[in-house]
Amino acid sequence: MLLLLLLQVSVSCLWLGQGEVVTSFESSCPQFFFQETPPNEALEPENPAWICQRYKNQYHFATLYDRGERIPVYSAYIYQPAPGKRPKTWLVEPQLVSPKYPKTMEREWTLLNYFNMSLEQLSESQAILTDYKNLTGLNRGHLNPSGHHPDFNSRTATFTLTNIVPQHAKLNGGAWNNYEQQTMMRKTQGCNTTYVVVGAVPGNNYIAKGRVNKPSFLWSSACCEVDTNHRRAWGVIAENDRNEVQLLTLGELEDVLSDLYGRNQVYLFDSSCPRE
């Protein structure tokens, strides 16, 4: 009887954290994109998943995920930095396994023990914790950083492996961190709302015996609303084996990404966001 009660309590607790795989961002969580317009299809991988990242009954950001490379293509969020504790629990996305599972962003342990899911099932279309063990010169790099969020719940939501890439450790703790913490704060002065899309370009190298792609580049872009009639925008890009970040205009970043992906012209924001 006690075991049954504990099981009921544990399963009910799962619903506190939710991450929902959806058919489109426009219909489900458009609020994280400037003018409710996500980037165009030029970034989409062969096997994409659109995730509205939800925690404690609230959406906190959106992620386009590459099931094949097991890394996010990009994460989109609204920049609202605030001091606070850094979460420690890492989560995964059961809906990448099958829509029959709850819309939960949850710990591996919980899924394996309470939802009869095997580690093999879980690992088929996403990274798992063991993929990031014993890395040399790399670490778990957030695309959407926890420090750009205003409260503990929204920071916790960023600690999902669907928001993580293998990132050069010196870059993650050096120039990229300086951009996230210092440059962003300086450049967003005077902005009422700043929309961010941050992503990773797949590379030719892998970790975890070929399971998880190591991106060749990381990039970030922002469109800031100063007021109804005035907007600013910028972008940055960094090679994932050098501790250096290059500041660009939004138009320059879109052109660089268009060349790197080799598909159609990339557009990260609605056309009313300035490219120069």
Side-chain angles (χ1 to χ4, degrees):
M1 189 71 177
L2 178 59
L3 181 60
L4 178 61
L5 179 61
L6 287 172
L7 178 62
Q8 289 173 335
V9 170
S10 298
V11 172
S12 67
C13 286
L14 290 175
W15 291 97
L16 293 176
Q18 298 188 352
E20 186 175 353
V21 176
V22 299
T23 54
S24 77
F25 291 138
E26 292 95 333
S27 62
S28 301
C29 52
Q31 65 268 33
F32 301 111
F33 302 93
F34 174 66
Q35 300 285 52
E36 300 191 345
T37 304
N40 68 336
E41 291 99 356
L43 296 177
E44 287 182 14
E46 289 185 14
N47 195 359
W50 292 266
I51 306 173
C52 292
Q53 304 279 16
R54 182 168 172 156
Y55 186 73
K56 292 198 174 179
N57 297 319
Q58 184 177 349
Y59 290 137
H60 295 280
F61 65 105
T63 300
L64 177 62
Y65 193 76
D66 187 337
R67 298 171 187 260
E69 301 291 356
R70 298 185 180 90
I71 58 171
V73 178
Y74 65 74
S75 288
Y77 63 96
I78 296 173
Y79 176 70
Q80 297 174 293
K85 284 187 177 180
R86 181 180 172 89
K88 296 180 180 179
T89 301
W90 288 97
L91 308 170
V92 289
E93 179 50 66
Q95 284 220 317
L96 287 174
V97 178
S98 169
K100 74 177 183 180
Y101 291 106
K103 301 170 183 178
T104 61
M105 177 197 299
E106 193 47 73
R107 292 184 304 157
E108 285 181 17
W109 185 90
T110 306
L111 296 173
L112 301 180
N113 286 276
Y114 290 114
F115 283 96
N116 199 30
M117 185 187 294
S118 70
L119 198 60
E120 185 179 3
Q121 284 178 302
L122 181 62
S123 65
E124 190 172 328
S125 59
Q126 65 189 295
I128 56 175
L129 288 171
T130 54
D131 291 329
Y132 283 89
K133 292 284 178 65
N134 303 317
L135 295 179
T136 302
L138 299 169
N139 53 31
R140 290 176 285 203
H142 283 71
L143 289 192
N144 176 2
S146 64
H148 285 186
H149 291 268
D151 54 55
F152 190 72
N153 287 344
S154 55
R155 288 192 290 272
T156 300
T158 68
F159 273 72
T160 167
L161 293 184
T162 56
N163 179 48
I164 298 298
V165 299
Q167 186 173 9
H168 182 51
K170 289 183 179 179
L171 174 64
N172 192 20
W176 193 260
N177 182 68
N178 290 341
Y179 171 73
E180 289 179 337
Q181 304 304 323
Q182 299 173 23
T183 308
M184 275 292 288
M185 187 169 291
R186 185 175 70 251
K187 292 188 74 66
T188 54
Q189 292 296 316
C191 297
N192 282 324
T193 306
T194 301
Y195 296 87
V196 179
V197 180
V198 54
V201 181
N204 297 319
N205 298 308
Y206 290 79
I207 65 167
K209 298 179 180 178
R211 281 182 36 80
V212 179
N213 188 278
K214 177 197 168 190
S216 55
F217 291 85
L218 290 108
W219 54 270
S220 185
S221 59
C223 185
C224 127
E225 291 184 311
V226 179
D227 55 42
T228 308
N229 299 314
H230 298 88
R231 302 176 180 104
R232 297 200 305 264
W234 60 90
V236 295
I237 193 164
E239 293 184 59
N240 196 20
D241 55 3
R242 300 178 62 191
N243 185 20
E244 184 179 326
V245 171
Q246 184 180 5
L247 186 62
L248 304 170
T249 66
L250 176 58
E252 287 171 340
L253 176 60
E254 290 176 331
D255 288 344
V256 170
L257 293 178
S258 299
D259 290 339
L260 288 172
Y261 279 91
R263 304 172 194 163
N264 297 324
Q265 175 66 38
V266 170
Y267 295 106
L268 299 175
F269 292 100
D270 179 83
S271 59
S272 58
C273 195
R275 263 60 189 179
E276 297 301 323

